[in-house]
Amino acid sequence: MRPKLTIITIFVLVAGVVVAGSLAPVAAEATAEKEALMKVFTHPPDRRKDLFAESFLDQVPINNINSIIAQYKSNLGELESIESGEGPYTLIFEKGTAPSRISLDTEGRIAGLWFGNWTLKSDTLEKLVSELKNLDSSVSLYLSKNGEELYSLNTEEKMAVGSTFKLYVLQALYDKFESDVWNKVVWLKRKDMSLPTGILQDWPVGTPVTVKTLSNLMISQSDNTATDILIELVGRKYLEQNTNPRNRPFLTTVEAFNLKYGVDSATRKDYITGNVKQKREILESFQGLRVSASQVTASTPTLIEEVEWFFSTEELASIIYDLRGANEIYINPGLATKSDWYRAGYKGGSEGGVLQYTHLLQKGKNSPVYVISLTANNPEKGLNTAKITEINSRLISLVKDGKL
């Protein structure tokens, strides 16, 4: 999600660097906001504290702010100017750019501040691929233009993709059903309640929701409960027809949580070593969720080569391109700034040892449609999420700047 200048709490996102706890609903003039942003980068570190409201500094110590500013200046040089448009401000540095949002309190002090990932003027595809290859993880990258390959790296590998598999569920939903399915009403059942991400797990059992609501939540908020309901609606066998054998049985999120964290070691071993028939029998023994959120170790790789959803970046790029007419993919633009694009579609996934981004980007109504799909896996330890995210943002900027 992208933070907005409204009454909203800002969370730490992989989409950028968050330096504030909240953005207050103060209607400050753009000139005042630009001046404050400029001062953030030009004030001496020992005087920077004076720019911020106490409520801000209660959440983020000034030493943290100084470290972030130093990091941006080290990579980008000095701030030269600030441009405004429909979306975030664009900070123009000597060596590159970065998006930013800011809000001021009634006394003109900074009450909310957000910086996005930077891009470098000197970036090329070759440079970014070189940086990807130097990461301590397995990586795969696929770029396409109007459905045709522009570049591929390790795209033959079927890698763990986390929640990006939900694009495949959405594609199956469109392929299997007629248009009237979107108005179909289903009722939330206890057995469908999964763990976050999402919001439906907190809704009352028996709440009626439409299929369209479920598909919107599945893609825009990666809602796991919505996903499992749609998997049941589409059918496991239908989903397995056109996917690779590593996705058989095709898991629900509840089943994945149970296998990773909720069953005894013997059952887990039997599932991993069993054939497809034996795996199905184990899944049939599950009666709802067996695990709580506190048992999930989100930052530690857990069976990402055994209990997951496996797709190549080429497959994911093809799926999101086929879904370019589906409005679900445009609700959340991911790492893209929505105001920069005519269309910015996205689905991603992450868990310990897994990070996946798939973006569809189009600059104008008649412009080419680009897709960037990037996957990183490491079954032994956590990933350098910040660096991978930075590289993906810089790839998006290559498309934006006409370098691809």
Side-chain angles (χ1 to χ4, degrees), residues 187-275:
W187 285 263
L188 298 184
K189 298 190 274 287
R190 175 64 59 191
K191 72 178 182 64
D192 296 318
M193 295 301 187
S194 188
L195 296 177
T197 51
I199 58 174
L200 289 185
Q201 73 279 349
D202 298 322
W203 288 19
V205 171
T207 299
V209 290
T210 65
V211 170
K212 190 62 174 180
T213 298
L214 294 172
S215 65
N216 283 341
L217 290 173
M218 176 177 70
I219 301 302
S220 67
Q221 297 197 25
S222 208
D223 194 293
N224 288 327
T225 298
T227 303
D228 286 0
I229 295 171
L230 292 176
I231 288 175
E232 181 178 5
L233 178 64
V234 173
R236 197 195 304 268
K237 290 185 178 179
Y238 187 88
L239 289 164
E240 291 173 352
Q241 286 178 1
N242 297 311
T243 189
N244 66 80
R246 292 189 71 185
N247 289 322
R248 298 172 190 158
F250 196 93
L251 297 173
T252 66
T253 69
V254 163
E255 290 166 345
F257 281 125
N258 283 340
L259 289 167
K260 286 176 181 280
Y261 308 104
V263 299
D264 58 78
S265 57
T267 302
R268 186 179 297 113
K269 181 179 179 181
D270 288 344
Y271 182 86
I272 292 170
T273 59
N275 57 36

Coordinates of all heavy atoms in Angstrom, one line a residue, residues 187-275:
W187 N -21.0 -16.7 2.1 CA -21.0 -16.4 3.5 C -19.7 -16.9 4.1 O -19.3 -18.1 3.9 CB -22.2 -17.0 4.2 CG -23.5 -16.3 3.8 CD1 -24.1 -15.3 4.6 CD2 -24.3 -16.4 2.7 NE1 -25.2 -14.8 4.0 CE2 -25.4 -15.5 2.8 CE3 -24.2 -17.2 1.5 CZ2 -26.3 -15.3 1.8 CZ3 -25.2 -17.1 0.5 CH2 -26.2 -16.1 0.7
L188 N -19.1 -16.1 4.9 CA -17.9 -16.4 5.6 C -18.1 -17.6 6.5 O -19.0 -17.6 7.4 CB -17.3 -15.3 6.4 CG -16.9 -14.0 5.5 CD1 -16.3 -13.0 6.5 CD2 -15.9 -14.4 4.4
K189 N -17.3 -18.6 6.4 CA -17.4 -19.8 7.3 C -16.1 -19.9 8.1 O -15.0 -19.5 7.7 CB -17.5 -21.1 6.4 CG -18.8 -21.1 5.6 CD -19.0 -22.4 4.9 CE -18.3 -22.6 3.6 NZ -18.8 -21.9 2.5
R190 N -16.3 -20.5 9.3 CA -15.2 -20.7 10.2 C -14.0 -21.4 9.6 O -12.8 -21.0 9.8 CB -15.6 -21.4 11.5 CG -14.5 -21.8 12.5 CD -13.9 -20.5 13.1 NE -14.9 -19.7 13.8 CZ -14.7 -18.5 14.2 NH1 -13.5 -17.9 13.9 NH2 -15.6 -17.8 14.8
K191 N -14.3 -22.4 8.8 CA -13.2 -23.2 8.2 C -12.3 -22.4 7.2 O -11.2 -22.8 6.9 CB -13.8 -24.5 7.5 CG -14.5 -24.2 6.2 CD -15.0 -25.5 5.6 CE -15.7 -25.2 4.3 NZ -14.8 -24.6 3.3
D192 N -12.9 -21.4 6.7 CA -12.2 -20.6 5.7 C -11.3 -19.5 6.3 O -10.5 -18.9 5.6 CB -13.2 -19.8 4.7 CG -14.0 -20.8 3.9 OD1 -13.4 -21.8 3.4 OD2 -15.2 -20.6 3.8
M193 N -11.4 -19.3 7.6 CA -10.7 -18.2 8.3 C -9.2 -18.6 8.3 O -8.8 -19.6 8.9 CB -11.2 -18.0 9.7 CG -12.7 -17.4 9.7 SD -12.8 -15.9 8.8 CE -14.5 -15.5 9.2
S194 N -8.4 -17.7 7.7 CA -7.0 -17.9 7.7 C -6.3 -16.9 8.6 O -6.9 -16.2 9.4 CB -6.5 -17.8 6.2 OG -5.1 -18.2 6.1
L195 N -5.0 -16.8 8.4 CA -4.2 -15.8 9.2 C -3.9 -14.6 8.2 O -4.0 -14.7 7.0 CB -2.9 -16.4 9.6 CG -3.0 -17.5 10.6 CD1 -1.6 -18.1 10.9 CD2 -3.6 -17.1 11.9
P196 N -3.6 -13.5 8.8 CA -3.2 -12.3 8.0 C -2.0 -12.7 7.1 O -1.2 -13.6 7.5 CB -2.8 -11.2 9.0 CG -3.5 -11.6 10.2 CD -3.5 -13.1 10.2
T197 N -1.9 -12.1 5.9 CA -2.4 -10.8 5.6 C -3.9 -10.8 5.2 O -4.4 -11.8 4.9 CB -1.6 -10.2 4.4 OG1 -1.6 -11.1 3.3 CG2 -0.2 -9.9 4.8
G198 N -4.5 -9.6 5.4 CA -5.9 -9.5 5.0 C -6.7 -8.9 6.2 O -6.2 -8.6 7.3
I199 N -8.0 -8.8 6.0 CA -8.9 -8.3 7.0 C -10.1 -9.3 7.3 O -10.7 -9.2 8.4 CB -9.5 -6.9 6.6 CG1 -10.2 -7.0 5.3 CG2 -8.4 -5.9 6.5 CD1 -10.9 -5.7 4.9
L200 N -10.4 -10.2 6.3 CA -11.6 -11.0 6.5 C -11.5 -11.9 7.7 O -12.6 -12.3 8.2 CB -11.9 -11.8 5.2 CG -12.4 -11.0 4.0 CD1 -12.7 -11.9 2.9 CD2 -13.6 -10.1 4.4
Q201 N -10.3 -12.3 8.1 CA -10.2 -13.2 9.3 C -10.8 -12.6 10.5 O -11.1 -13.3 11.5 CB -8.7 -13.6 9.5 CG -7.8 -12.5 10.1 CD -7.3 -11.5 9.0 OE1 -7.5 -11.8 7.8 NE2 -6.7 -10.5 9.5
D202 N -10.9 -11.3 10.5 CA -11.5 -10.6 11.7 C -13.0 -10.3 11.6 O -13.6 -9.7 12.5 CB -10.8 -9.3 12.0 CG -9.3 -9.5 12.3 OD1 -9.0 -10.5 13.0 OD2 -8.4 -8.7 11.8
W203 N -13.6 -10.6 10.4 CA -15.0 -10.4 10.2 C -15.8 -11.5 10.9 O -15.4 -12.6 11.0 CB -15.3 -10.3 8.7 CG -14.8 -9.0 8.1 CD1 -13.8 -8.2 8.6 CD2 -15.2 -8.5 6.8 NE1 -13.6 -7.2 7.7 CE2 -14.5 -7.3 6.6 CE3 -16.2 -8.9 5.9 CZ2 -14.6 -6.5 5.5 CZ3 -16.3 -8.1 4.7 CH2 -15.6 -6.9 4.6
P204 N -17.1 -11.2 11.2 CA -17.9 -12.2 11.8 C -18.2 -13.4 10.9 O -18.5 -13.2 9.6 CB -19.2 -11.5 12.2 CG -18.8 -10.0 12.2 CD -17.8 -9.9 11.2
V205 N -18.2 -14.6 11.4 CA -18.7 -15.7 10.6 C -20.1 -15.5 10.2 O -20.9 -15.0 11.0 CB -18.6 -17.0 11.5 CG1 -19.2 -18.2 10.7 CG2 -17.1 -17.3 11.8
G206 N -20.4 -15.9 8.9 CA -21.8 -15.7 8.4 C -21.9 -14.4 7.6 O -23.0 -14.1 7.1
T207 N -20.9 -13.5 7.6 CA -21.0 -12.3 6.9 C -21.1 -12.6 5.4 O -20.3 -13.3 4.8 CB -19.8 -11.4 7.1 OG1 -19.7 -11.1 8.5 CG2 -19.9 -10.1 6.3
P208 N -22.1 -12.0 4.7 CA -22.2 -12.2 3.2 C -21.2 -11.3 2.5 O -21.2 -10.1 2.8 CB -23.7 -11.8 2.9 CG -24.0 -10.8 4.0 CD -23.3 -11.2 5.2
V209 N -20.5 -11.8 1.5 CA -19.7 -11.0 0.7 C -19.8 -11.5 -0.8 O -20.1 -12.7 -1.0 CB -18.2 -11.1 1.1 CG1 -17.9 -10.4 2.4 CG2 -17.7 -12.5 1.2
T210 N -19.6 -10.6 -1.7 CA -19.6 -11.0 -3.1 C -18.3 -11.5 -3.6 O -17.3 -11.3 -3.0 CB -20.0 -9.8 -4.0 OG1 -19.0 -8.8 -4.0 CG2 -21.3 -9.2 -3.6
V211 N -18.3 -12.3 -4.6 CA -17.1 -12.8 -5.2 C -16.2 -11.7 -5.6 O -15.0 -11.8 -5.5 CB -17.4 -13.7 -6.4 CG1 -16.2 -14.1 -7.2 CG2 -18.1 -15.0 -5.9
K212 N -16.8 -10.6 -6.1 CA -15.9 -9.4 -6.6 C -15.2 -8.8 -5.4 O -14.0 -8.4 -5.5 CB -16.8 -8.4 -7.3 CG -16.0 -7.3 -7.9 CD -15.1 -7.8 -9.0 CE -14.4 -6.7 -9.8 NZ -13.5 -7.3 -10.9
T213 N -15.9 -8.7 -4.2 CA -15.2 -8.2 -3.0 C -14.1 -9.1 -2.7 O -13.0 -8.7 -2.3 CB -16.2 -8.2 -1.9 OG1 -17.3 -7.2 -2.2 CG2 -15.5 -7.7 -0.6
L214 N -14.3 -10.4 -2.7 CA -13.2 -11.4 -2.4 C -12.0 -11.3 -3.4 O -10.9 -11.3 -2.9 CB -13.8 -12.8 -2.5 CG -14.8 -13.2 -1.4 CD1 -15.4 -14.6 -1.7 CD2 -14.3 -13.2 0.0
S215 N -12.3 -11.1 -4.7 CA -11.2 -11.0 -5.6 C -10.4 -9.7 -5.4 O -9.2 -9.7 -5.6 CB -11.7 -11.2 -7.0 OG -12.5 -10.1 -7.4
N216 N -11.2 -8.6 -5.1 CA -10.5 -7.3 -4.9 C -9.6 -7.4 -3.7 O -8.4 -6.9 -3.7 CB -11.5 -6.2 -4.6 CG -12.2 -5.7 -5.9 OD1 -11.6 -5.9 -7.0 ND2 -13.3 -5.1 -5.8
L217 N -10.1 -8.1 -2.6 CA -9.3 -8.2 -1.4 C -8.1 -9.1 -1.6 O -7.0 -8.9 -1.0 CB -10.2 -8.6 -0.2 CG -11.2 -7.6 0.3 CD1 -12.1 -8.3 1.3 CD2 -10.5 -6.4 0.9
M218 N -8.3 -10.2 -2.3 CA -7.3 -11.2 -2.5 C -6.0 -10.5 -3.2 O -4.9 -10.8 -2.8 CB -7.8 -12.3 -3.4 CG -6.7 -13.4 -3.8 SD -7.3 -14.8 -4.7 CE -7.7 -14.0 -6.3
I219 N -6.3 -9.6 -4.2 CA -5.2 -9.0 -4.9 C -4.7 -7.8 -4.2 O -3.5 -7.6 -4.0 CB -5.6 -8.8 -6.4 CG1 -6.0 -10.1 -7.0 CG2 -4.4 -8.1 -7.1 CD1 -5.0 -11.2 -7.1
S220 N -5.6 -6.9 -3.9 CA -5.1 -5.6 -3.4 C -4.5 -5.6 -1.9 O -3.6 -4.9 -1.6 CB -6.3 -4.6 -3.4 OG -7.3 -4.9 -2.5
Q221 N -5.1 -6.5 -1.1 CA -4.6 -6.7 0.3 C -4.0 -8.0 0.6 O -3.7 -8.3 1.7 CB -5.7 -6.4 1.3 CG -6.3 -4.9 1.2 CD -7.1 -4.5 2.4 OE1 -6.9 -5.1 3.5 NE2 -7.9 -3.6 2.3
S222 N -3.9 -8.8 -0.4 CA -3.4 -10.2 -0.3 C -4.1 -11.0 0.8 O -3.5 -11.7 1.6 CB -1.9 -10.2 0.0 OG -1.3 -11.3 -0.5
D223 N -5.5 -10.8 0.8 CA -6.3 -11.4 1.9 C -6.3 -12.9 1.8 O -6.8 -13.5 0.8 CB -7.7 -10.8 1.8 CG -8.5 -11.1 3.1 OD1 -8.8 -12.3 3.3 OD2 -8.8 -10.2 3.8
N224 N -5.8 -13.6 2.8 CA -5.7 -15.1 2.7 C -7.0 -15.8 2.9 O -7.2 -16.8 2.2 CB -4.7 -15.5 3.8 CG -3.3 -15.2 3.5 OD1 -2.8 -15.2 2.4 ND2 -2.5 -14.9 4.6
T225 N -7.9 -15.2 3.7 CA -9.2 -15.8 3.8 C -10.0 -15.7 2.5 O -10.6 -16.7 2.0 CB -10.0 -15.1 5.0 OG1 -9.3 -15.3 6.2 CG2 -11.4 -15.7 5.1
A226 N -10.0 -14.5 1.9 CA -10.6 -14.4 0.5 C -10.0 -15.4 -0.5 O -10.8 -16.0 -1.2 CB -10.4 -12.9 0.0
T227 N -8.7 -15.6 -0.4 CA -8.1 -16.5 -1.3 C -8.6 -17.9 -1.2 O -8.9 -18.6 -2.2 CB -6.5 -16.4 -1.1 OG1 -6.1 -15.1 -1.3 CG2 -5.8 -17.4 -2.1
D228 N -8.7 -18.4 0.1 CA -9.1 -19.7 0.3 C -10.5 -20.0 -0.1 O -10.9 -21.0 -0.7 CB -8.9 -20.1 1.8 CG -7.4 -20.3 2.2 OD1 -6.6 -20.2 1.3 OD2 -7.2 -20.6 3.3
I229 N -11.4 -19.0 0.1 CA -12.8 -19.1 -0.4 C -12.8 -19.2 -1.9 O -13.6 -20.0 -2.5 CB -13.6 -17.9 0.1 CG1 -13.7 -17.9 1.6 CG2 -15.0 -18.0 -0.5 CD1 -14.3 -16.7 2.2
L230 N -12.0 -18.4 -2.6 CA -12.0 -18.5 -4.1 C -11.3 -19.7 -4.6 O -11.7 -20.2 -5.7 CB -11.2 -17.2 -4.6 CG -12.0 -15.9 -4.4 CD1 -11.1 -14.7 -4.9 CD2 -13.3 -15.9 -5.0
I231 N -10.3 -20.3 -3.9 CA -9.8 -21.6 -4.3 C -10.9 -22.6 -4.2 O -11.0 -23.5 -5.1 CB -8.6 -21.9 -3.4 CG1 -7.4 -21.0 -3.7 CG2 -8.2 -23.4 -3.6 CD1 -6.2 -21.2 -2.8
E232 N -11.7 -22.6 -3.2 CA -12.8 -23.6 -3.1 C -13.8 -23.4 -4.2 O -14.3 -24.3 -4.8 CB -13.4 -23.4 -1.7 CG -14.6 -24.4 -1.5 CD -15.2 -24.3 -0.1 OE1 -14.9 -23.4 0.6 OE2 -16.1 -25.1 0.2
L233 N -14.1 -22.1 -4.5 CA -15.0 -21.8 -5.6 C -14.5 -22.3 -6.9 O -15.3 -23.0 -7.7 CB -15.3 -20.3 -5.6 CG -16.3 -19.8 -6.7 CD1 -17.7 -20.4 -6.5 CD2 -16.3 -18.3 -6.7
V234 N -13.3 -22.0 -7.2 CA -12.7 -22.5 -8.5 C -12.5 -24.0 -8.5 O -12.8 -24.6 -9.6 CB -11.4 -21.8 -8.8 CG1 -10.7 -22.3 -10.0 CG2 -11.6 -20.3 -8.9
G235 N -12.1 -24.5 -7.4 CA -11.8 -26.0 -7.3 C -10.3 -26.3 -7.5 O -9.7 -25.8 -8.4
R236 N -9.9 -27.1 -6.6 CA -8.5 -27.5 -6.6 C -8.1 -28.2 -7.9 O -7.0 -28.0 -8.5 CB -8.2 -28.4 -5.4 CG -6.7 -28.5 -5.1 CD -6.4 -29.7 -4.1 NE -7.1 -29.7 -2.9 CZ -6.7 -29.1 -1.7 NH1 -5.5 -28.5 -1.7 NH2 -7.4 -29.2 -0.6
K237 N -8.9 -29.1 -8.4 CA -8.6 -29.8 -9.6 C -8.5 -28.9 -10.8 O -7.6 -29.1 -11.6 CB -9.7 -30.9 -9.8 CG -9.6 -32.1 -8.8 CD -10.6 -33.2 -9.2 CE -10.5 -34.3 -8.2 NZ -11.5 -35.4 -8.6
Y238 N -9.3 -27.9 -10.8 CA -9.3 -27.0 -12.0 C -7.9 -26.2 -11.9 O -7.3 -26.0 -12.9 CB -10.4 -26.0 -11.9 CG -10.5 -25.1 -13.1 CD1 -11.2 -25.5 -14.3 CD2 -9.9 -23.8 -13.1 CE1 -11.3 -24.6 -15.4 CE2 -10.0 -23.0 -14.2 CZ -10.7 -23.4 -15.3 OH -10.7 -22.6 -16.4
L239 N -7.5 -25.8 -10.7 CA -6.3 -25.0 -10.6 C -5.1 -25.9 -10.9 O -4.1 -25.4 -11.4 CB -6.2 -24.5 -9.1 CG -7.1 -23.4 -8.7 CD1 -7.2 -23.2 -7.2 CD2 -6.7 -22.1 -9.4
E240 N -5.2 -27.2 -10.7 CA -4.1 -28.1 -10.9 C -3.9 -28.5 -12.4 O -2.9 -29.0 -12.8 CB -4.2 -29.3 -10.1 CG -4.0 -29.1 -8.6 CD -4.3 -30.3 -7.7 OE1 -4.8 -31.3 -8.3 OE2 -4.1 -30.2 -6.5
Q241 N -4.9 -28.2 -13.2 CA -4.9 -28.7 -14.6 C -3.8 -28.0 -15.4 O -3.1 -28.7 -16.2 CB -6.2 -28.3 -15.3 CG -7.4 -29.2 -14.9 CD -8.7 -28.8 -15.5 OE1 -8.7 -27.9 -16.3 NE2 -9.8 -29.5 -15.2
N242 N -3.5 -26.7 -15.1 CA -2.6 -26.0 -16.0 C -1.4 -25.5 -15.3 O -0.7 -24.5 -15.7 CB -3.3 -24.8 -16.7 CG -4.5 -25.3 -17.5 OD1 -4.3 -26.1 -18.4 ND2 -5.6 -24.7 -17.3
T243 N -1.1 -26.1 -14.1 CA 0.1 -25.7 -13.4 C 1.1 -26.8 -13.3 O 0.8 -28.0 -13.6 CB -0.2 -25.1 -12.0 OG1 0.9 -24.5 -11.4 CG2 -0.7 -26.2 -11.1
N244 N 2.4 -26.5 -12.9 CA 3.4 -27.5 -12.9 C 3.2 -28.4 -11.7 O 2.5 -28.1 -10.7 CB 4.8 -26.8 -12.9 CG 5.0 -26.1 -11.6 OD1 5.4 -26.6 -10.5 ND2 4.8 -24.7 -11.6
P245 N 3.8 -29.6 -11.8 CA 3.6 -30.7 -10.8 C 4.0 -30.3 -9.4 O 3.4 -30.8 -8.4 CB 4.5 -31.8 -11.3 CG 4.6 -31.6 -12.8 CD 4.6 -30.1 -13.0
R246 N 4.9 -29.3 -9.2 CA 5.3 -28.9 -7.9 C 4.1 -28.2 -7.1 O 4.1 -28.1 -5.9 CB 6.4 -27.9 -7.9 CG 7.7 -28.6 -8.4 CD 8.9 -27.6 -8.2 NE 9.3 -27.5 -6.8 CZ 10.2 -26.6 -6.4 NH1 10.9 -25.9 -7.3 NH2 10.5 -26.5 -5.1
N247 N 3.1 -27.8 -7.9 CA 1.9 -27.2 -7.2 C 0.7 -28.2 -7.1 O -0.4 -27.8 -7.0 CB 1.4 -26.0 -8.1 CG 2.4 -24.8 -8.0 OD1 2.9 -24.6 -6.9 ND2 2.6 -24.2 -9.1
R248 N 1.1 -29.5 -7.0 CA 0.0 -30.5 -6.8 C 0.4 -31.3 -5.5 O 1.5 -31.9 -5.5 CB -0.1 -31.4 -8.0 CG -0.5 -30.7 -9.2 CD -0.4 -31.6 -10.5 NE -0.5 -30.8 -11.7 CZ -0.1 -31.2 -12.9 NH1 0.5 -32.3 -13.0 NH2 -0.3 -30.4 -13.9
P249 N -0.5 -31.3 -4.5 CA -1.8 -30.6 -4.5 C -1.6 -29.1 -4.4 O -0.7 -28.6 -3.8 CB -2.4 -31.1 -3.2 CG -1.7 -32.3 -2.8 CD -0.3 -32.1 -3.3
F250 N -2.6 -28.4 -5.0 CA -2.6 -26.9 -4.9 C -3.1 -26.5 -3.6 O -4.3 -26.7 -3.2 CB -3.5 -26.3 -6.0 CG -3.2 -24.9 -6.3 CD1 -2.3 -24.5 -7.3 CD2 -3.8 -23.9 -5.6 CE1 -2.0 -23.2 -7.5 CE2 -3.6 -22.6 -5.8 CZ -2.7 -22.2 -6.8
L251 N -2.3 -25.9 -2.8 CA -2.6 -25.6 -1.4 C -3.4 -24.4 -1.2 O -3.3 -23.4 -1.9 CB -1.3 -25.4 -0.6 CG -0.3 -26.6 -0.5 CD1 1.0 -26.2 0.2 CD2 -1.0 -27.7 0.3
T252 N -4.3 -24.4 -0.2 CA -4.9 -23.2 0.4 C -3.9 -22.6 1.3 O -2.9 -23.2 1.8 CB -6.2 -23.5 1.1 OG1 -5.9 -24.3 2.3 CG2 -7.2 -24.2 0.2
T253 N -4.2 -21.3 1.7 CA -3.2 -20.7 2.7 C -3.4 -21.4 4.1 O -2.4 -21.5 4.8 CB -3.5 -19.2 2.9 OG1 -4.8 -19.0 3.5 CG2 -3.4 -18.5 1.5
V254 N -4.6 -21.8 4.5 CA -4.8 -22.5 5.7 C -3.9 -23.8 5.7 O -3.2 -24.1 6.7 CB -6.2 -22.8 6.0 CG1 -6.4 -23.9 7.0 CG2 -7.0 -21.6 6.4
E255 N -3.9 -24.5 4.6 CA -3.2 -25.8 4.6 C -1.7 -25.5 4.6 O -0.9 -26.2 5.3 CB -3.5 -26.5 3.3 CG -4.9 -27.1 3.3 CD -5.4 -27.5 1.9 OE1 -4.8 -27.1 0.9 OE2 -6.4 -28.3 1.8
A256 N -1.2 -24.4 4.0 CA 0.2 -24.1 4.1 C 0.6 -23.7 5.5 O 1.7 -24.2 6.0 CB 0.5 -22.9 3.1
F257 N -0.2 -22.9 6.2 CA 0.1 -22.6 7.5 C 0.1 -23.8 8.4 O 1.0 -24.0 9.3 CB -0.9 -21.6 8.1 CG -0.7 -20.1 7.7 CD1 -1.7 -19.4 7.0 CD2 0.5 -19.5 7.9 CE1 -1.5 -18.1 6.6 CE2 0.7 -18.2 7.5 CZ -0.3 -17.5 6.9
N258 N -0.8 -24.7 8.2 CA -0.9 -25.9 9.0 C 0.4 -26.8 8.8 O 1.0 -27.3 9.8 CB -2.1 -26.7 8.7 CG -3.4 -26.2 9.3 OD1 -3.3 -25.4 10.3 ND2 -4.5 -26.5 8.8
L259 N 0.8 -26.9 7.6 CA 1.9 -27.8 7.3 C 3.2 -27.2 7.8 O 4.1 -27.9 8.3 CB 2.0 -28.0 5.8 CG 0.9 -28.9 5.2 CD1 0.9 -28.8 3.6 CD2 1.2 -30.4 5.6
K260 N 3.4 -25.9 7.7 CA 4.6 -25.2 8.1 C 4.7 -25.1 9.6 O 5.8 -25.3 10.2 CB 4.7 -23.8 7.5 CG 5.0 -23.8 6.0 CD 5.0 -22.3 5.5 CE 5.3 -22.2 4.0 NZ 6.7 -22.3 3.7
Y261 N 3.6 -24.9 10.3 CA 3.7 -24.5 11.7 C 2.7 -25.3 12.7 O 2.9 -25.2 13.9 CB 3.4 -23.0 11.9 CG 4.2 -22.1 11.0 CD1 3.6 -21.5 9.9 CD2 5.5 -21.9 11.3 CE1 4.4 -20.7 9.1 CE2 6.3 -21.0 10.5 CZ 5.7 -20.4 9.4 OH 6.5 -19.6 8.6
G262 N 1.7 -26.0 12.1 CA 0.7 -26.5 13.0 C 0.6 -28.0 13.2 O -0.1 -28.5 14.0
V263 N 1.3 -28.8 12.4 CA 1.3 -30.2 12.5 C 2.5 -30.7 13.2 O 3.5 -30.0 13.3 CB 1.1 -30.9 11.1 CG1 -0.2 -30.5 10.5 CG2 2.3 -30.6 10.2
D264 N 2.5 -32.0 13.7 CA 3.6 -32.6 14.3 C 4.7 -32.9 13.2 O 4.4 -33.0 12.0 CB 3.2 -33.8 15.1 CG 2.6 -34.9 14.2 OD1 3.2 -35.6 13.5 OD2 1.3 -34.9 14.3
S265 N 5.9 -33.1 13.6 CA 7.0 -33.4 12.7 C 6.8 -34.6 11.8 O 7.2 -34.6 10.7 CB 8.3 -33.4 13.5 OG 8.3 -34.5 14.4
A266 N 6.2 -35.6 12.4 CA 5.9 -36.9 11.6 C 5.0 -36.6 10.5 O 5.2 -37.1 9.3 CB 5.4 -38.0 12.5
T267 N 3.9 -35.9 10.8 CA 2.9 -35.6 9.7 C 3.6 -34.7 8.6 O 3.3 -34.9 7.4 CB 1.7 -34.9 10.3 OG1 1.1 -35.7 11.3 CG2 0.7 -34.5 9.2
R268 N 4.4 -33.7 9.1 CA 5.0 -32.9 8.1 C 6.0 -33.7 7.2 O 6.0 -33.5 6.0 CB 5.8 -31.8 8.9 CG 6.4 -30.7 8.0 CD 7.1 -29.7 8.8 NE 6.2 -28.9 9.7 CZ 6.2 -29.0 11.0 NH1 7.1 -29.8 11.6 NH2 5.4 -28.3 11.7
K269 N 6.7 -34.6 7.8 CA 7.7 -35.4 7.1 C 6.9 -36.3 6.1 O 7.3 -36.5 4.9 CB 8.5 -36.3 8.0 CG 9.5 -37.1 7.3 CD 10.4 -38.0 8.2 CE 11.3 -38.9 7.5 NZ 12.2 -39.7 8.4
D270 N 5.8 -36.9 6.5 CA 5.0 -37.7 5.6 C 4.5 -36.9 4.4 O 4.4 -37.5 3.3 CB 3.8 -38.3 6.4 CG 4.2 -39.4 7.4 OD1 5.3 -39.9 7.3 OD2 3.4 -39.7 8.3
Y271 N 4.1 -35.7 4.7 CA 3.6 -34.9 3.6 C 4.7 -34.6 2.6 O 4.6 -34.7 1.4 CB 3.0 -33.6 4.1 CG 2.5 -32.7 3.0 CD1 1.2 -32.9 2.5 CD2 3.3 -31.7 2.3 CE1 0.7 -32.1 1.5 CE2 2.8 -31.0 1.3 CZ 1.5 -31.2 0.8 OH 1.0 -30.4 -0.2
I272 N 5.9 -34.2 3.1 CA 7.0 -33.8 2.2 C 7.5 -35.0 1.4 O 7.8 -34.8 0.2 CB 8.1 -33.2 3.1 CG1 7.7 -31.8 3.7 CG2 9.4 -33.0 2.2 CD1 8.6 -31.3 4.7
T273 N 7.5 -36.1 2.0 CA 8.1 -37.3 1.3 C 7.0 -38.1 0.5 O 7.3 -39.0 -0.2 CB 8.8 -38.2 2.3 OG1 7.8 -38.7 3.3 CG2 9.9 -37.5 2.9
G274 N 5.7 -37.8 0.8 CA 4.7 -38.6 0.2 C 4.4 -38.3 -1.3 O 4.9 -37.2 -1.8
N275 N 3.7 -39.2 -2.0 CA 3.3 -38.9 -3.4 C 2.0 -38.0 -3.3 O 1.5 -37.7 -2.2 CB 3.0 -40.2 -4.1 CG 2.0 -41.1 -3.5 OD1 1.0 -40.6 -2.9 ND2 2.2 -42.4 -3.5

